[in-house]
Amino acid sequence: MTLGPRGRANYVFRGCGAIPGGVAESAADFRDVLVVPVPPETIVFAAVAGPGDLARILGRLESLGMHVESVHRVRELPRTEHRALV
């Protein structure tokens, strides 16, 4: 099992629907998460601390209007200078 910074596992969530920008930016559950809208899909990259956090993030994404269709563990999160904090 490969863990990212601070002992967190890296995940990518893909699904349909958009997460409203203003809502996502103010959501405490989404600090240090990269949200990439690719209409009609949304891709979310996140470091997850544990199984409880994974379930919480899935529930939060659904409550914000994203229908999560797949979740995959990845070795690394995308590196970008202008990483969106959502």
Side-chain angles (χ1 to χ4, degrees), residues 58-78:
L58 282 168
R60 186 71 171 139
L61 290 171
E62 293 277 341
S63 74
L64 290 173
M66 180 179 169
H67 175 70
V68 178
E69 296 176 340
S70 69
V71 178
H72 296 278
R73 191 157 179 186
V74 295
R75 184 169 279 201
E76 294 182 7
L77 295 177

Side-chain angles (χ1 to χ4, degrees), residues 4-51:
R6 294 175 273 172
R8 297 176 179 220
N10 300 317
Y11 284 87
V12 59
F13 304 84
R14 290 180 176 264
C16 295
I19 297 173
V23 172
E25 289 170 6
S26 66
D29 290 344
F30 292 98
R31 297 194 195 288
D32 299 323
V33 171
L34 177 63
V35 177
V36 180
V38 186
E41 295 185 329
T42 299
I43 303 169
V44 177
F45 299 91
V48 178

